[in-house]
Amino acid sequence: MNRLASTANAQRGTTLLEVLVTIVILAIGLLGLAGLQTRLQVSEMEAYQRSQALILLNDMASRIASNRANAAAYAAAYDSNNPLGVEMICPTGTATLETDAREWCEALQGASETFSGGNAGAMVGGRGCIDDLGDGEYLVTVAWQGLTPISAPPDAVACGQGDYDGGGNCVDDLCRRTVTTIVRIGDLS
């Protein structure tokens, strides 16, 4: 009987230790899941911004293609040195070119959706540029502020260059995101 009592005493506390180890392992797993959830939310926001940028890019490319006679005027007015979008004053004229530019500018500023009286329907810091590449080709670009640093867009894409260096890890255009398309205007004469 003494032998049974000593064996029972030796086993005392073992279950509690197993429970503590299980709780530690579970806590580490839950912390990993919380980190994964955070990264998923950032990725979801990046994907949302990219899809908004592509919609706005295609919008302006279609406007230029449908107003082909004034394609050079779009590029002359709204190139990489004079972008449209956030922190810019949108055109107010009534000519087709100015109306197109105003609507695109307001869309880049997020006017399609409001939140608490402010624009919230587009990318963070959205800007749009139209650059003349010559020979009837125009580079339409939408640039915006990414949430995490990755790699800078090529130097050939000048739209928003240097505008998204907000300190921290966002230096040297590592947080600048861009999408581009080329609009080709054929000579129909």
Side-chain angles (χ1 to χ4, degrees), residues 150-155 171-178:
I150 50 173
S151 62
D155 288 336
V171 296
D172 299 327
D173 276 345
L174 293 178
C175 289
R176 179 172 64 117
R177 308 287 190 267
T178 60

Side-chain angles (χ1 to χ4, degrees), residues 16-34:
L16 182 60
L17 185 59
E18 290 171 352
V19 168
L20 288 175
V21 168
T22 303
I23 288 174
V24 167
I25 291 172
L26 185 62
I28 291 171
L30 289 175
L31 285 174
L33 282 175

Side-chain angles (χ1 to χ4, degrees), residues 82-126:
N82 301 303
L84 292 170
V86 173
E87 299 175 0
M88 310 297 166
I89 297 172
C90 297
T92 57
T94 57
T96 303
L97 181 135
E98 292 165 331
T99 300
D100 287 347
R102 181 184 68 251
E103 290 173 357
W104 196 44
C105 179
E106 289 171 353
L108 287 163
Q109 292 175 347
S112 63
E113 187 177 331
T114 60
F115 180 74
S116 298
N119 294 342
M123 305 80 51
V124 176

Side-chain angles (χ1 to χ4, degrees), residues 17-173:
L17 185 59
E18 290 171 352
V19 168
L20 288 175
V21 168
T22 303
I23 288 174
V24 167
I25 291 172
L26 185 62
I28 291 171
L30 289 175
L31 285 174
L33 282 175
L36 179 63
Q37 180 67 26
T38 302
R39 289 179 57 184
L40 286 173
Q41 287 178 334
V42 169
S43 295
E44 180 183 7
M45 183 61 177
E46 289 275 2
Y48 170 77
Q49 289 191 112
R50 182 169 301 281
S51 67
Q52 291 296 310
L54 288 169
I55 290 168
L56 294 174
L57 179 75
N58 288 328
D59 175 48
M60 184 46 87
S62 296
R63 290 173 188 260
I64 293 170
S66 63
N67 192 7
R68 59 189 312 115
N70 291 320
Y74 284 101
Y78 310 113
D79 64 3
S80 293
N81 296 320
N82 301 303
L84 292 170
V86 173
E87 299 175 0
M88 310 297 166
I89 297 172
C90 297
T92 57
T94 57
T96 303
L97 181 135
E98 292 165 331
T99 300
D100 287 347
R102 181 184 68 251
E103 290 173 357
W104 196 44
C105 179
E106 289 171 353
L108 287 163
Q109 292 175 347
S112 63
E113 187 177 331
T114 60
F115 180 74
S116 298
N119 294 342
M123 305 80 51
V124 176
R127 287 183 174 78
C129 309
I130 305 158
D131 293 304
D132 189 346
L133 300 176
D135 295 328
E137 292 185 343
Y138 302 92
L139 181 68
V140 181
T141 306
V142 174
W144 71 95
Q145 172 78 42
L147 301 178
T148 57
I150 50 173
S151 62
D155 288 336
V157 180
C159 188
Q161 206 167 34
D163 291 337
Y164 302 108
D165 293 340
N169 293 331
C170 289
V171 296
D172 299 327
D173 276 345

